[in-house]
Amino acid sequence: MRVLIVKLSSLGDVVHTMPVVHDIRTAFPDALIDWAVEPAFAPLVRRVSGIHSSIECALRRWRKAWWTAQVRDEWREFRDALRGERYDAVIDFQGLTKSAVVARLARGPRYGLARATEGSSHEWPARWLVDHAIEVEPRIHALDRARVLAAEVLGYEVAGPPRFGLRRQVLEATERTLVFVHGSSRDDKLWPEANWIEAGRRAASAGWHIALPHAGPVERERADRIAAAIGPAAEVWPAMDLDALTDRMGAAHGVIGVDSGLSHIAVALDLPHVQVYNHPTAWRTGPLLEHGHEHQVCVEDAPTPDIDRVWRAWQHVWARFRQAAQR
């Protein structure tokens, strides 16, 4: 059995697709699974247990200079890599025109979603670019949607909680570290800085070291302001690539974060975690108890959850994690 996963982006969507690899390898232990993905997320895909290879597809960059000789050469190299194997199933988990075109280029029967599920992106040409359009119930968590799609295509039953298989390098944290994932690509998902500062002060008084990752100058400036207001217990991490950041987060003891790719990595790493939502969307992207996330919860409110609710959630999560560790 040889399977190609097509899920090009974004970070959170890539993380939500990871459990499919474990599911397929459980049903077909000898399966070889390749994954077509944007280069920014390829290092993360290569960390997933059971992945045979990642095929990097730099569509975002290619679109900006499609007329250049370099891009044409890179496109031919990608196309040749994609067509180098014949697959038993090519599965487009993204449901966009660009991902369906990538699936169309591969050799083997192509499968994809027949239509959008609630809150997800889907473009109608994607249905017609694959050979087989699969119906999935419309109101479904993003993680379950991927697992159900693969199971329908390959003819097995989804069983048990999701297993992400995200490997990390074992690093020793010198202090009990709580990571604040404060950044998002969407401003309407952000939590107020005053809340981060108050959460940091409460954590510091409880003996926590607070770490603030960042991506880009805007997030760096916010991290600096939050850390300065919290005091010496807070540290702004240096800029680092996704590989290094995954290992650094994996060595921490917990994460409080907004709905963002890094928070979803925290879920995949099975860290104690509180995920903060300003919109009623936790049911379709956040950690759920039915997925086995006993020490990971969502706190959701409009316009944004208050500091007391989030802090109580963190205290509850940490207590449950410690109780489980002592069993």
Side-chain angles (χ1 to χ4, degrees), residues 32-170:
L32 296 177
I33 305 171
D34 298 336
W35 190 320
V37 65
E38 283 276 354
F41 312 120
L44 206 63
V45 165
R46 288 192 286 268
R47 288 172 173 260
V48 177
S49 297
I51 281 292
H52 176 256
S53 69
S54 63
I55 303 173
E56 296 187 17
C57 177
L59 281 180
R60 290 178 176 178
R61 180 167 54 80
W62 292 339
R63 281 201 301 262
K64 297 175 182 177
W66 57 267
W67 62 89
T68 64
Q70 178 182 343
V71 168
R72 290 198 300 271
D73 290 342
E74 290 179 4
W75 171 257
R76 281 192 293 268
E77 184 178 341
F78 162 72
R79 183 192 59 197
D80 292 346
L82 195 67
R83 296 184 59 81
E85 302 290 345
R86 181 164 187 85
Y87 294 98
D88 297 287
V90 177
I91 311 176
D92 172 21
F93 288 90
Q94 200 153 357
L96 301 180
T97 304
K98 64 179 182 180
S99 59
V101 168
V102 169
R104 190 77 191 170
L105 287 171
R107 296 193 302 143
R110 302 103 174 169
Y111 302 83
L113 294 163
R115 64 191 79 251
T117 56
E118 189 173 332
S120 70
S121 299
H122 188 274
E123 295 171 349
W124 67 264
R127 177 189 178 110
W128 308 109
L129 286 166
V130 297
D131 303 311
H132 308 281
I134 308 298
E135 296 283 353
V136 174
E137 62 179 289
R139 187 175 175 84
I140 189 171
H141 193 282
L143 189 154
D144 295 323
R145 181 180 64 232
R147 297 183 75 194
V148 168
L149 176 58
E152 289 289 326
V153 169
L154 298 176
Y156 61 83
E157 295 291 329
V158 174
R163 296 185 180 274
F164 293 85
L166 185 60
R167 295 177 298 226
R168 56 184 166 184
Q169 182 180 344
V170 178

